Amino acid sequence: MAIAAAASAALSSLSLRSSLPSFLLSSNPKPSSLFLLHHPHRPPPPPLLCSKLTPSAADAASDAAVADAGDDDDDDDAAFDPPSPPEGYVPPTPFDELPPETEEEIAAAYEEIYGPAFSGVSVLGNDVFAMDAKLKKAGGLLGRRKREKPNDGFEERVVQVRRVTKVVKGGKKLSFRAIVVVGDKKGHVGVGVGKAKEVVDAIAKSAANARRNIVTVPMTKYSTFPHRADGDYGAAKVMLRPASPGTGVIAGGSVRIVLELAGVDNALGKQLGSKNALNNARATVVATQKMRQFREVALERGIPMEELWK
């Protein structure tokens, strides 16, 4: 303890007193502190990285910050000098001074950005029935993709979709078979069939097959058949009869679908054999191909059409 008191008295006379740790300035330092201070293998303490500023230094720093802020205010108060416009520059007309736009100009601008309006009228001559490729949905119901129908004027109607199986070496192979009838209701109709692993692909195949088998149905001005006809395909037999105006299409199954898409408004049809939808549809087409117009018969016989009813 005497040694510590003597050391404190000797250091008090020096100007380094303020830089010594507080535990050395106390009258009763701890032994552990003295051990750390006088231990020969202890490395010297690192230099102080930061120190407290004296009041005079703090005042000088605040004065410098105020001076810098004053300089910024001087820069803000400086007058803005924009560059001169180039030669021949004509300023645009203000928006309020422009002439009012016509309805056609507004519709054209709207259609150029968003496409044809809901009214179905195109100002720019676009096809209002064709959807923009950016607006087409990649997936349909339950994640299935939608099929794009060709815009050729033919209406499609699905007659039947069935799941069929094929026995192979590894087991059974499942697929779907679709029967589709296409027609323009102007005397042209076709029947097609297709198979695929997905329903959408099967319908697309059958529709393409139906378009390759388009036939012309002979009709009179009353939208009916010129005469009676019977057709058969396999075990299916179909009977077709003309009807007076206002009767409508009295038929069932695939026969009715074929006659409606062909554009027949008044007719009688009857399935006499098998109830197979595909065979009945094809038997209907066979029956219509047996019909002939009156002018064709008169031309073959070499007589005028008036002689046919004598």
Side-chain angles (χ1 to χ4, degrees):
M1 301 297 294
I3 297 175
S8 301
L11 292 174
S12 62
S13 61
L14 299 176
S15 61
L16 299 176
R17 179 180 176 84
S18 60
S19 62
L20 291 176
S22 60
F23 68 89
L24 291 179
L25 300 179
S26 63
S27 59
N28 190 13
K30 295 182 181 180
S32 59
S33 302
L34 294 176
F35 173 77
L36 295 174
L37 181 63
H38 298 287
H39 198 274
H41 300 289
R42 174 179 170 80
L48 297 177
L49 298 179
C50 59
S51 60
K52 295 182 180 180
L53 295 176
T54 58
S56 59
D59 295 340
S62 62
D63 295 342
V66 172
D68 294 340
D71 295 341
D72 296 339
D73 296 340
D74 295 341
D75 295 340
D76 295 339
D77 295 340
F80 175 70
D81 186 12
S84 58
E87 297 182 0
Y89 173 75
V90 178
T93 307
F95 177 77
D96 299 337
E97 299 179 3
L98 293 175
E101 298 180 348
T102 61
E103 295 183 0
E104 289 77 8
E105 295 176 351
I106 297 175
Y110 179 88
E111 184 176 351
E112 185 176 0
I113 298 175
Y114 301 105
F118 182 75
S119 60
V121 179
S122 175
V123 181
L124 301 179
N126 297 324
D127 188 3
V128 296
F129 298 101
M131 185 179 294
D132 189 2
K134 297 180 180 179
L135 302 179
K136 292 179 181 177
K137 296 183 179 179
L141 183 61
L142 302 178
R144 298 178 180 176
R145 60 184 181 85
K146 289 188 176 181
R147 185 177 65 91
E148 299 178 6
K149 297 181 181 179
N151 188 15
D152 54 358
F154 283 92
E155 181 180 346
E156 300 177 5
R157 192 173 301 180
V158 179
V159 177
Q160 186 184 67
V161 176
R162 296 182 61 184
R163 189 179 68 175
V164 296
T165 58
K166 178 182 179 181
V167 180
V168 295
K169 183 178 180 180
K172 293 183 179 180
K173 183 179 179 181
L174 301 179
S175 59
F176 293 92
R177 187 193 72 168
I179 303 172
V180 176
V181 178
V182 299
D184 58 355
K185 296 184 178 182
K186 297 179 181 178
H188 300 88
V189 68
V191 179
V193 62
K195 290 187 294 184
K197 293 183 179 180
E198 297 291 338
V199 177
V200 178
D201 297 335
I203 295 175
K205 282 186 177 181
S206 57
N209 186 21
R211 284 179 169 82
R212 290 194 293 265
N213 300 318
I214 297 294
V215 297
T216 302
V217 178
M219 291 186 295
T220 63
K221 63 179 180 180
Y222 300 109
S223 299
T224 186
F225 300 126
H227 57 84
R228 300 182 177 186
D230 297 334
D232 56 348
Y233 190 91
K237 298 180 181 179
V238 174
M239 177 185 65
L240 300 180
R241 299 292 184 266
S244 58
T247 304
V249 178
I250 302 178
S254 57
V255 179
R256 181 184 185 89
I257 297 176
V258 173
L259 297 182
E260 287 181 351
L261 292 182
V264 179
D265 296 335
N266 306 290
L268 303 175
K270 179 64 177 178
Q271 300 177 5
L272 300 177
S274 173
K275 295 182 180 180
N276 186 277
L278 178 60
N279 288 345
N280 281 307
R282 289 178 172 174
T284 306
V285 174
V286 171
T288 57
Q289 295 306 294
K290 293 181 179 180
M291 300 179 184
R292 293 185 299 172
Q293 296 284 7
F294 297 118
R295 59 177 175 272
E296 297 177 2
V297 177
L299 184 62
E300 290 179 1
R301 295 175 60 181
I303 59 176
M305 291 182 59
E306 292 79 4
E307 299 292 333
L308 295 176
W309 288 276
K310 289 185 178 180

